């Protein structure tokens, strides 16, 4: 994952869906009244107007964000994934651009205004366009048509040759130039550095104090690193707003390694990347039709065979709500509390489908049933989280 880095049961606080009387009663019994995740006596997650606050920061974002990794990347996301028939007559680069912009516009139109990108999403060396540049262009073009409020998160790459707090500010200013923005809502350390992590954290605090970022976070941090980062920033009076980690129904390591519990305890929002397991939880892959490219190494026909009982139940539950497997899988994450999923939308139809994960809720029984079925599937290892 380093080479292509991106991007316990809780309470779901979505509006109730009209259900048959018996089922509505079960839902009410399973889901307690709305509450906020707290750190001591301090409320750290607030929900209003469809938004959640990132940790103890002043930044509020939509309950579902959009990951922009695939917009700039041309290696991990193979070309066959970009098949919008409306633009097939265009060149590949033109098609990617139009589909990515359509994904952006559809996200805005459907109330998802939180976008996550990174300086390493897309590299000119691989013939790609940087995701930050694309996102910045989309925002500018949309702003010319109407006034919109967009929350942008991007990341600092802890590359081995970057030293000291100054490297964070330098990288951030280049990201802001690509985005065409004077500040971003959230700036994150993309992964733990081999060395220099204390300096990187000081750099985040410097950026926060200079008003270049409204909130700071980390990504791919295990529990110990997370607690250390929280403590160091706290000494500067800077809240650690978020930890972005791999989290999905079939990759529940944050529940098992203490990261989710630590986030809840410390008042840090967990941002979930790969929330539909790189497309596997959409149901489009089967043992007979596995994904191609790098994902094929993880999601093998053998793995997909073991996944089928869970996928069958996801489809059954989704059918009872009129929802797709993708929407059920994303809703399952929002039902954990203090979690903001950021699925990657490569086109408008995907963005619109993601929006359908909001405004309703699985029952507590359904949440736990899916977790139980998922336990039967061997977990996926992510070495970066063990560093």
């Amino acid at each position: 994952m380093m080479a292509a880095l991106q991007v316990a049961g809780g309470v779901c606080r979505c509006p109730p869906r009209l259900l048959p009387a018996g089922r509505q009663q079960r839902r009410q019994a399973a889901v307690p009244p709305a509450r906020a995740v707290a750190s001591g006596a301090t409320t750290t997650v607030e929900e209003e107007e469809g938004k959640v606050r990132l940790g103890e920061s002043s930044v509020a974002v939509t309950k579902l964000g959009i990951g922009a990794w695939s917009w700039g990347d041309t290696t991990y996301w193979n070309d066959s994934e970009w098949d919008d028939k409306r633009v097939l007559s265009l060149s590949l680069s033109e098609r990617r651009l139009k589909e990515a912009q359509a994904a952006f516009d559809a996200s805005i139109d459907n109330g998802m205004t939180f976008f996550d990108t990174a300086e390493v999403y897309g590299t000119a060396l691989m013939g790609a366009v940087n995701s930050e540049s694309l996102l910045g262009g989309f925002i500018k073009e949309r702003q010319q048509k109407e006034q919109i409020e967009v929350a942008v998160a991007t990341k600092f790459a802890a590359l081995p040759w970057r030293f000291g707090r100054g490297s964070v500010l330098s990288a951030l200013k280049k990201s802001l130039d690509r985005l065409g923005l004077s500040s971003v809502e959230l700036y994150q350390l993309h992964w733990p550095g081999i060395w220099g992590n204390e300096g990187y954290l000081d750099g985040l605090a410097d950026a926060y104090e200079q008003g270049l970022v409204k909130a700071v976070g980390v990504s791919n941090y295990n529990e110990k690193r997370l607690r250390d980062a929280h403590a160091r920033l706290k000494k500067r009076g800077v809240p650690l707003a978020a930890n972005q980690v791999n989290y999905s129904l079939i990759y529940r390591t944050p529940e098992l390694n203490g990261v989710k519990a630590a986030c809840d305890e410390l008042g840090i929002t967990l941002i979930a990347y790969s929330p539909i397991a790189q497309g596997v939880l959409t149901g489009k892959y089967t043992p007979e039709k596995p994904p191609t490219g790098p994902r094929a190494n993880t999601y093998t026909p053998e793995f997909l065979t073991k996944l089928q009982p869970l996928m069958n139940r996801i489809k059954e539950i989704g059918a009872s709500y009129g929802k797709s497997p993708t929407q059920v899988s994303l809703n399952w994450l929002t039902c954990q509390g203090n979690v903001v999923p950021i699925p990657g939308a490569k086109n408008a139809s995907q963005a619109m489908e993601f929006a359908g994960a909001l405004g309703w809720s699985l029952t507590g029984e359904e949440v736990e049933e899916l977790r139980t079925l998922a336990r039967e599937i061997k977990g996926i290892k992510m070495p970066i989280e063990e560093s």
Side-chain angles (χ1 to χ4, degrees):
M1 197 70 180
M2 282 288 290
L5 274 170
Q6 326 209 85
V7 178
V11 180
C12 187
R13 300 176 290 279
C14 304
R17 169 180 175 269
L18 293 178
L19 300 173
R23 189 169 183 183
Q24 181 68 23
Q25 291 172 359
R26 289 197 302 273
R27 181 189 186 283
Q28 291 172 344
V31 182
R35 64 172 176 82
V37 177
S39 173
T42 304
T43 297
T44 59
V45 177
E46 299 173 6
E47 297 196 4
E48 53 185 37
E49 299 180 357
K51 292 187 176 182
V52 295
R53 195 164 299 280
L54 294 180
E56 295 179 345
S57 75
S58 63
V59 175
V61 301
T62 48
K63 297 179 181 180
L64 195 70
I66 296 296
W69 177 23
S70 62
W71 295 359
D73 186 90
T74 56
T75 54
Y76 193 85
W77 302 102
N78 49 309
D79 296 345
S80 64
E81 295 295 326
W82 299 76
D83 287 336
D84 189 329
K85 293 180 174 57
R86 295 169 296 180
V87 293
L88 281 177
S89 61
L90 302 175
S91 69
L92 176 61
S93 59
E94 292 174 318
R95 190 167 81 220
R96 286 180 182 277
L97 177 62
K98 286 188 175 293
E99 290 186 340
Q101 186 160 15
F104 172 83
D105 286 330
S107 300
I108 297 291
D109 293 339
N110 286 274
M112 297 175 294
T113 59
F114 177 40
F115 295 89
D116 179 84
T117 183
E119 63 174 328
V120 296
Y121 292 170
T123 168
L125 294 176
M126 301 299 292
V129 178
N130 184 273
S131 174
E132 291 177 326
S133 299
L134 290 175
L135 176 58
F138 299 159
I139 293 172
K140 181 179 180 180
E141 186 168 334
R142 184 72 181 237
Q143 291 280 22
Q144 291 173 344
K145 300 175 182 177
E146 61 179 313
Q147 186 64 34
I148 58 171
E149 291 186 6
V150 176
V152 175
T154 191
K155 308 182 195 73
F156 167 83
L159 301 170
W161 52 87
R162 283 180 163 170
F163 297 96
R165 62 205 301 173
S167 64
V168 175
L169 287 173
S170 176
L172 171 59
K173 290 174 182 177
K174 291 178 182 178
S175 287
L176 292 175
D177 285 343
R178 286 188 289 268
L179 287 161
L181 300 172
S182 59
S183 67
V184 290
E185 278 64 34
L186 178 66
Y187 195 49
Q188 306 150 98
L189 302 181
H190 204 149
W191 62 83
I194 298 175
W195 46 67
N197 290 290
E198 292 183 347
Y200 296 153
L201 291 167
D202 289 337
L204 288 183
D206 292 342
Y208 179 84
E209 291 172 351
Q210 293 180 27
L212 297 174
V213 301
K214 298 180 178 67
V216 300
V218 293
S219 181
N220 298 300
Y221 269 46
N222 61 27
E223 181 186 0
K224 183 182 185 306
R225 288 187 182 277
L226 183 65
R227 290 184 181 278
D228 290 345
H230 178 270
R232 188 172 185 87
L233 288 169
K234 188 175 182 179
K235 290 179 180 178
R236 292 277 299 272
V238 178
L240 179 58
N243 184 21
Q244 185 178 144
V245 295
N246 190 335
Y247 187 26
S248 70
L249 180 56
I250 60 172
Y251 186 78
R252 299 176 317 288
T253 297
E255 297 177 0
L256 307 175
N257 66 4
V259 165
K260 177 65 166 64
C263 284
D264 293 347
E265 173 195 338
L266 299 173
I268 300 169
T269 298
L270 191 156
I271 298 176
Y273 73 75
S274 294
I276 49 176
Q278 299 168 13
V280 172
L281 287 172
T282 66
K284 67 180 178 180
Y285 298 120
T286 65
E288 297 73 32
K289 186 185 176 183
T292 58
R295 284 174 288 177
N297 297 325
T298 300
Y299 303 110
T300 63
E302 293 76 17
F303 179 92
L304 293 169
T305 297
K306 296 176 182 177
L307 184 66
Q308 290 314 295
L310 173 62
M311 288 307 308
N312 290 338
R313 186 57 184 140
I314 289 174
K315 292 174 183 177
E316 291 172 357
I317 291 174
S320 72
Y321 288 93
K323 299 293 181 179
S324 69
T326 297
Q327 293 163 342
V328 171
S329 299
L330 290 172
N331 190 271
W332 184 90
L333 276 176
T334 64
C335 283
Q336 307 312 308
N338 196 32
V339 175
V340 176
I342 51 167
K346 294 188 291 295
N347 53 51
S349 61
Q350 287 184 351
M352 290 186 284
E353 182 177 20
F354 297 157
L358 298 171
W360 62 284
S361 171
L362 294 168
T363 68
E365 291 118 329
E366 288 164 343
V367 168
E368 290 309 314
E369 179 187 3
L370 292 179
R371 178 181 278 107
T372 298
L373 286 171
R375 288 193 185 106
E376 300 301 316
I377 303 166
K378 185 177 179 181
I380 304 162
K381 298 287 284 184
M382 292 292 291
I384 189 170
E385 294 172 3
E386 300 171 3
S387 61

